[in-house]
Amino acid sequence: NLHEAYFASANEYIAADEDKVGKAYEAFVQALNDDANVQGLLNGQIQEFITKIEGLPSKRTSAGATSSGSGTGGVSTVGVNVGGGGASSSSSSGGGGGGGSGRNEVLFEPFIEKLVSHIRGSVQIIIHGDETIKFIPPNATKTSLWLLKIFRTMIENRWGMSIYERDDDGGEEQDDAVAELMVVYNESGMTELCLDLISKGVDITLQSEALKLLVGMLFKEGGALAIQKSIHAHLSRSGSDIFFRTVRQILHNLMTWHEWQGVVTLADGEDPTLPDEIIIVRCLQLFCEGHFKPNQDILREQPQNNTSVNLLDDFVLYLQKLDRFRCRTSTAAGSAVSATVLEVIQGPCEHNQDHFALNTELIEILNRKLRQHPENDCDEGEEMEFKKGAIDILQALLEGQGRKTQIYERM
């Protein structure tokens, strides 16, 4: 049949010149990724799937034998299917009728839980001596990536903006728009799932998507307290060192990227472009948003694990590395890192104040930054914002110190 003919033809082509085929395939995949029509069709597919999910009735609205959906009206024969044999459901609900009508109704919250369980079920844990890694088969990785993007898009649809626009344009209106959805996500185990996907052995693209979803869940003026508490509870368990070691590796990979790039000179009107994994810096900042002290402390030490990973040292090392390559790209990364440093100090978090001021070269790095003049393609306005952030950090290091003199003397 035609299917077999395609495979036979492909195998002959590969046998003729394997190297050429590999390069041609990569170019073909890249062309698909860059094609606006293809992306439009894919986004349309995602939105169609989201419409079906959000058409499912909620447990809250269905508790009293009502046929209304989760704020979107009645539901009639909704079918949802997830590839790979994960979850397949259908539901039908008409008007009226009592709770004992015998209809097979699929509810929104349990279905979200089912999707989360479907992703988690694909994760395999492999132990090599003292090292633990996680493995997800390629097909399951693709499905998981698609589902996480759907979860994030559901947040962005309600906001009316992307996670990248949320910082500048979002506010209380966006918080209210996703409040109920965040409760469903957190109670379904999605917070813990995102954390567990940040692991050695998991495809880096899937890790990045998990971080983007987590950032979306954590965006809330003053801090998303319920989700922050879930994060702390999960990372306070023994064995969470795999998360912290992976975060450290991502940060070091970002530093290596800057070393490879060196001083980047951007054309007029061109904005700095950083790797997707830079989202980890924003994510860690949101862990601590609103001066949530338990997460501020856990970034420094994890007493429940055999070995603690002090991410504060990595923040300082990152700033130190960036100082070698003075350009707008480095300033963009440095501003992100310094914003996270500020968030893990404010409150104040005294142990973090002490560590940064007395056990690292943070003060020296900031002092050097304050005295620098713009170089290469550096923008004076962006440099000034970075320096204002540096002054905020110095002020935060002194916050609540009272009569203590060590940090004052060091500064």
Side-chain angles (χ1 to χ4, degrees):
N1 58 35
L2 182 62
H3 191 87
E4 292 175 347
Y6 271 126
F7 268 99
S9 177
N11 286 332
E12 289 175 7
Y13 192 43
I14 291 171
D17 190 344
E18 186 171 352
D19 290 338
K20 187 178 75 172
V21 173
K23 291 176 183 177
Y25 177 74
E26 289 171 1
F28 171 69
V29 171
Q30 187 61 47
L32 284 182
N33 287 334
D34 294 340
D35 188 275
N37 290 332
V38 170
Q39 290 303 314
L41 289 169
L42 290 173
N43 289 333
Q45 183 188 52
I46 287 174
Q47 294 296 346
E48 181 182 356
F49 189 68
I50 289 173
T51 299
K52 288 186 176 184
I53 295 176
E54 293 190 331
L56 296 174
S58 166
K59 282 197 299 188
R60 295 173 179 82
T61 57
S62 295
T66 176
S67 64
S68 63
S70 55
T72 58
V75 181
S76 60
T77 313
V78 178
V80 186
N81 179 269
V82 179
S88 178
S89 308
S90 63
S91 70
S92 61
S93 57
S101 62
R103 66 188 180 187
N104 180 25
E105 185 175 64
V106 175
L107 302 179
F108 178 75
E109 294 88 347
F111 188 70
I112 294 295
E113 290 178 18
K114 178 67 176 176
L115 295 179
V116 170
S117 176
H118 172 74
I119 298 173
R120 185 174 289 283
S122 67
V123 181
Q124 302 172 24
I125 297 177
I126 302 171
I127 300 176
H128 288 293
D130 295 334
E131 186 177 32
T132 300
I133 64 173
K134 296 176 183 177
F135 171 75
I136 303 177
N139 286 343
T141 294
K142 293 177 182 177
T143 303
S144 300
L145 192 62
W146 190 72
L147 287 173
L148 291 185
K149 187 174 182 180
I150 281 174
F151 293 144
R152 172 168 60 89
T153 304
M154 288 170 69
I155 297 173
E156 293 174 332
N157 284 351
R158 297 188 184 205
W159 282 346
M161 61 186 67
S162 72
I163 59 172
Y164 302 104
E165 299 165 325
R166 178 69 170 83
D167 261 332
D168 296 328
D169 303 329
E172 189 173 341
E173 180 183 349
Q174 280 66 40
D175 293 344
D176 294 340
V178 298
E180 290 186 6
L181 183 63
M182 292 306 94
V183 172
V184 174
Y185 277 10
N186 198 37
E187 291 180 352
S188 72
M190 198 176 297
T191 306
E192 294 82 358
L193 172 66
C194 288
L195 295 171
D196 287 342
L197 290 175
I198 312 305
S199 168
K200 183 176 181 179
V202 175
D203 184 86
I204 190 62
T205 309
L206 182 55
Q207 291 188 51
S208 293
E209 194 58 54
L211 288 169
K212 291 174 188 177
L213 174 56
L214 201 52
V215 164
M217 294 171 64
L218 283 165
F219 263 124
K220 186 179 180 183
E221 299 298 316
L225 189 59
I227 293 170
Q228 288 172 319
K229 287 181 176 179
S230 294
I231 289 171
H232 183 261
H234 194 65
L235 295 182
S236 294
R237 298 173 183 170
S238 177
S240 65
D241 57 306
I242 190 171
F243 169 84
F244 290 99
R245 285 188 281 108
T246 304
V247 170
R248 168 168 280 177
Q249 186 60 57
I250 292 173
L251 291 172
H252 282 254
N253 289 345
L254 288 167
M255 296 179 214
T256 300
W257 181 86
H258 286 280
E259 291 178 339
W260 276 98
Q261 298 295 317
V263 173
V264 178
T265 302
L266 301 175
D268 290 342
E270 186 180 2
D271 291 325
T273 302
L274 296 167
D276 270 358
E277 293 75 45
I278 194 67
I279 196 79
I280 186 67
V281 178
R282 184 66 172 121
C283 191
L284 296 174
Q285 180 186 355
L286 292 171
F287 273 23
C288 309
E289 184 79 14
H291 317 324
F292 187 63
K293 195 170 183 297
N295 283 350
Q296 289 176 321
D297 283 328
I298 207 168
L299 295 184
R300 186 190 67 257
E301 60 179 355
Q302 306 87 44
Q304 77 281 358
N305 293 329
N306 292 330
T307 304
S308 280
V309 176
N310 189 338
L311 294 177
L312 276 55
D313 292 335
D314 298 286
F315 297 151
V316 175
L317 182 59
Y318 199 168
L319 289 173
Q320 196 170 36
K321 293 271 188 184
L322 292 171
D323 195 43
R324 295 166 49 196
F325 312 107
R326 297 175 187 174
C327 58
R328 288 186 64 203
T329 301
S330 294
T331 300
S335 295
V337 176
S338 61
T340 301
V341 169
L342 179 62
E343 196 62 56
V344 301
I345 298 171
Q346 286 181 320
C349 180
E350 294 184 359
H351 291 301
N352 286 355
Q353 284 178 315
D354 290 344
H355 185 79
F356 274 130
L358 305 177
N359 300 324
T360 75
E361 295 186 5
L362 178 63
I363 294 175
E364 288 84 351
I365 293 169
L366 297 178
N367 184 37
R368 189 162 56 247
K369 186 65 183 177
L370 288 171
R371 302 194 305 180
Q372 286 174 5
H373 298 285
E375 298 180 32
N376 302 312
D377 71 340
C378 288
D379 178 82
E380 189 170 351
E382 293 171 352
E383 291 299 303
M384 188 59 66
E385 287 300 314
F386 193 170
K387 290 179 180 182
K388 287 163 66 176
I391 293 172
D392 288 340
I393 292 173
L394 294 175
Q395 182 179 354
L397 288 172
L398 297 173
E399 182 183 359
Q401 286 296 306
R403 296 185 178 183
K404 298 177 183 178
T405 61
Q406 279 187 303
I407 292 181
Y408 283 102
E409 290 173 355
R410 178 73 186 273
M411 193 171 294

